[in-house]
């Protein structure tokens, strides 16, 4: 593999990590019972594990992967 591609991949990875850190959401307050994205039910176990969550696991994962 060309060393330039490896350097570019590392730079992109570092940029994405920094973006995720800069834009992290700190959840506070009461969790929603329905996902704000898809409208599906958010299980009680998730609401207890992630106080203030507003999305189901699937939608939250999708949104974090997109960032």
């Amino acid at each position: 593999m060309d060393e330039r591609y490896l350097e570019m991949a590392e730079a992109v990875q570092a940029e994405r990590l920094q973006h995720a850190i800069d834009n992290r959401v700190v959840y506070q307050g009461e969790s929603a019972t329905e996902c704000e994205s898809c409208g599906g039910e958010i299980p009680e176990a998730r609401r207890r594990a992630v106080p203030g969550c507003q999305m189901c696991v699937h939608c939250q994962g999708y949104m974090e992967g997109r960032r």
Side-chain angles (χ1 to χ4, degrees):
M1 177 179 265
D2 191 341
E3 197 171 310
R4 290 176 292 169
Y5 292 115
L6 182 57
E7 290 173 2
M8 287 173 37
E10 288 174 343
V12 168
Q13 184 178 24
E15 182 180 327
R16 287 182 179 171
L17 176 59
Q18 188 61 53
H19 181 75
I21 291 168
D22 292 343
N23 294 298
R24 72 183 177 95
V25 176
V26 177
Y27 294 111
Q28 296 179 357
E30 191 172 333
S31 297
T33 56
E34 293 182 359
C35 177
E36 68 179 23
S37 183
C38 71
E41 180 182 350
I42 300 174
E44 183 179 345
R46 174 163 170 74
R47 294 192 314 258
R48 280 186 279 157
V50 185
C53 66
Q54 301 298 308
M55 289 188 228
C56 67
V57 171
H58 176 77
C59 291
Q60 185 70 43
Y62 177 77
M63 292 299 292
E64 290 176 4
R66 233 174 33 161
R67 292 183 179 175

